[in-house]
Amino acid sequence: MNTDLILAAALVFAAVVVPLVWWLFVRRAARRVLAQAERDAAKALEDAEREREAQLREAELAAKEKLLQA
């Protein structure tokens, strides 16, 4: 009788704890993935901004050259 009660308690405990631990693990992993995605997005935005500025400078130089040639 006592071992049946212990076994039942262990099963209930496992049924509650295992999903909770799994959920915490998945949540933590999702936060890491989200943080990495945010860093990647910020870097992509910075790179695009630098590229835009470089293209703008090139266009301004080309316009000045055409103006001087005219």
Side-chain angles (χ1 to χ4, degrees), residues 13-29:
F13 179 77
V16 171
V17 171
V18 170
L20 179 63
V21 169
W22 175 81
W23 180 78
L24 290 172
F25 175 77
V26 168
R27 185 175 173 183
R28 184 175 179 195

Side-chain angles (χ1 to χ4, degrees), residues 2-68:
N2 197 15
T3 57
D4 291 340
L5 184 60
I6 291 172
L7 180 60
L11 288 174
V12 169
F13 179 77
V16 171
V17 171
V18 170
L20 179 63
V21 169
W22 175 81
W23 180 78
L24 290 172
F25 175 77
V26 168
R27 185 175 173 183
R28 184 175 179 195
R31 284 183 177 174
R32 277 194 305 261
V33 169
L34 179 61
Q36 183 62 46
E38 289 172 343
R39 287 190 296 271
D40 291 347
K43 185 181 182 309
L45 190 59
E46 290 172 7
D47 292 346
E49 179 66 22
R50 272 191 244 110
E51 180 65 26
R52 184 190 67 82
E53 289 173 2
Q55 289 177 353
L56 184 60
R57 282 192 299 273
E58 286 180 24
E60 287 174 346
L61 285 174
K64 286 179 184 178
E65 286 177 12
K66 286 188 178 188
L67 185 61
L68 288 175

